[in-house]
Amino acid sequence: MAAVARRPFGLFKNLNAKIAAIPMMLTAVVIFIGCTAWTVIYSFTDSRLLPSENFVGLAQYDRLFDTTRWNVAIVNLLIYGGLSLVFSFVVGFLLATLLDQKIRFENTFRTIFLYPFALSFIVTGLVWQWILDPGLGVPKFLDDLGLPGGDFAMLGNKSTVIYALVIAGLWQGTGLVMVLMLAGLRGIDGEIWKAAKVDGIPAWRTYLFIVIPMMRGVFVTTLVIVASGIVRVYDLVVAMTQGGPGFASEVPAKYVYDLMFQRGNIGQGLAASTVMLVTVFIILVPWALMEFRDKKK
């Protein structure tokens, strides 16, 4: 009588895969969770150049929100983030809708729109710094043609510099939004379009009341990707303005870097980092809840 093969105990199923995953799990636990916990804990200390274990409660947070530079950074992030989300979603969806019409040279247009995303924020910032330079870029071109706007220094004006960052950010990131939206549109069943056409429903109503609600998952995922990038924006500001003029284009990520690595104020920098971390959680948690709830259904 042949021996019956015993099924492996649950813990030992896919044992090779579990062993291979151990280094990544340790990395996640030690680096991500451990460093995050360290950041939060030491944000309650008076650490300066070196970490200190003298806990001061919420003093770093009180000082943080009493700092004009930090409050300017928060306002700038709200302006940059709000405008970036609205325009990248609107423009990205419109571009995806146009490409979804099976136009000629679709691959060429898709490459052109997506190409800026392949560039780093540093390169993007330098390119737009040249484009907006009054002595080199668009203002000089307008001035040579005798058109108004030739003396307009967008990056040198405190009231307009943040909008220059928004323009550069949109140029870099809208292509990604377009591709994600296009993938969502291509996932819509063609029978829905045929049924809407037979019922005489205009195309704009089909998009507004049928297609967009069906693309809710794509919109939420795109929102999380774009929003997390907005909270961490740093390279673009450094490349274009260094946070200036003054602190007019300061953002939280640059504030954290300057406090920790230039001013030697670790406690204040970690408090600002923790505020950014909480902001990211506020963005991610609703998305995670929606995703897991849908999978359970």
Side-chain angles (χ1 to χ4, degrees):
M1 182 177 175
V4 178
R6 298 180 61 186
R7 300 182 64 182
F9 183 62
L11 182 63
F12 296 102
K13 287 181 179 177
N14 301 320
L15 186 59
N16 292 336
K18 290 177 179 176
I19 293 174
I22 288 176
M24 181 58 68
M25 293 169 64
L26 289 176
T27 301
V29 171
V30 174
I31 295 181
F32 292 106
I33 299 177
C35 290
T36 299
W38 188 88
T39 297
V40 175
I41 291 171
Y42 278 86
S43 70
F44 296 103
T45 68
D46 62 352
S47 301
R48 297 292 297 183
L49 190 60
L50 295 173
S52 164
E53 295 182 357
N54 182 27
F55 288 89
V56 293
L58 296 174
Q60 296 287 8
Y61 293 91
D62 289 338
R63 191 180 307 161
L64 179 67
F65 286 101
D66 285 338
T67 305
T68 302
R69 183 179 172 184
W70 172 256
N71 291 326
V72 170
I74 292 293
V75 172
N76 284 338
L77 186 64
L78 291 175
I79 295 173
Y80 178 85
L83 293 177
S84 296
L85 280 175
V86 171
F87 283 102
S88 65
F89 269 65
V90 171
V91 176
F93 184 77
L94 290 177
L95 290 175
T97 303
L98 292 175
L99 290 181
D100 195 40
Q101 307 306 311
K102 308 293 189 300
I103 63 173
R104 296 181 64 187
F105 307 114
E106 177 190 327
N107 291 337
T108 303
F109 285 115
R110 192 166 51 196
T111 302
I112 291 173
F113 291 133
L114 189 59
Y115 179 73
F117 186 70
L119 303 176
S120 70
F121 267 131
I122 292 292
V123 175
T124 300
L126 291 175
V127 168
W128 276 94
Q129 191 182 49
W130 295 335
I131 292 175
L132 298 175
D133 189 335
L136 182 67
V138 174
K140 185 176 186 306
F141 178 72
L142 295 175
D143 189 48
D144 291 343
L145 295 177
L147 298 174
D151 58 346
F152 183 48
M154 201 171 183
L155 292 176
N157 190 319
K158 289 185 177 179
S159 59
T160 59
V161 64
I162 190 64
Y163 302 105
L165 295 174
V166 172
I167 293 171
L170 287 173
W171 179 79
Q172 208 255 7
T174 303
L176 174 65
V177 177
M178 179 204 70
V179 170
L180 294 173
M181 297 291 179
L182 183 60
L185 288 172
R186 293 286 163 81
I188 301 294
D189 191 345
E191 295 299 322
I192 293 176
W193 288 105
K194 293 178 182 177
K197 194 172 182 179
V198 170
D199 292 339
I201 301 175
W204 68 270
R205 292 190 64 181
T206 306
Y207 274 111
L208 195 61
F209 296 108
I210 299 176
V211 173
I212 290 179
M214 292 180 69
M215 291 175 58
R216 185 182 62 86
V218 175
F219 276 93
V220 174
T221 301
T222 307
L223 174 67
V224 171
I225 293 174
V226 175
S228 60
I230 288 171
V231 173
R232 293 180 285 107
V233 65
Y234 170 80
D235 316 38
L236 186 66
V237 176
V238 172
M240 286 185 72
T241 66
Q242 287 289 340
F247 298 126
S249 60
E250 186 78 359
V251 290
K254 185 175 181 301
Y255 179 88
V256 171
Y257 180 86
D258 288 350
L259 265 289
M260 292 185 67
F261 300 106
Q262 293 187 355
R263 297 195 175 190
N265 193 339
I266 293 178
Q268 184 79 171
L270 293 181
S273 299
T274 304
V275 173
M276 293 177 62
L277 178 67
V278 171
T279 306
V280 172
F281 272 118
I282 290 174
I283 295 170
L284 289 180
V285 168
W287 167 76
L289 291 176
M290 291 176 65
E291 287 293 311
F292 287 123
R293 186 180 61 185
D294 289 345
K295 287 179 180 178
K296 284 183 178 179
K297 289 180 179 178

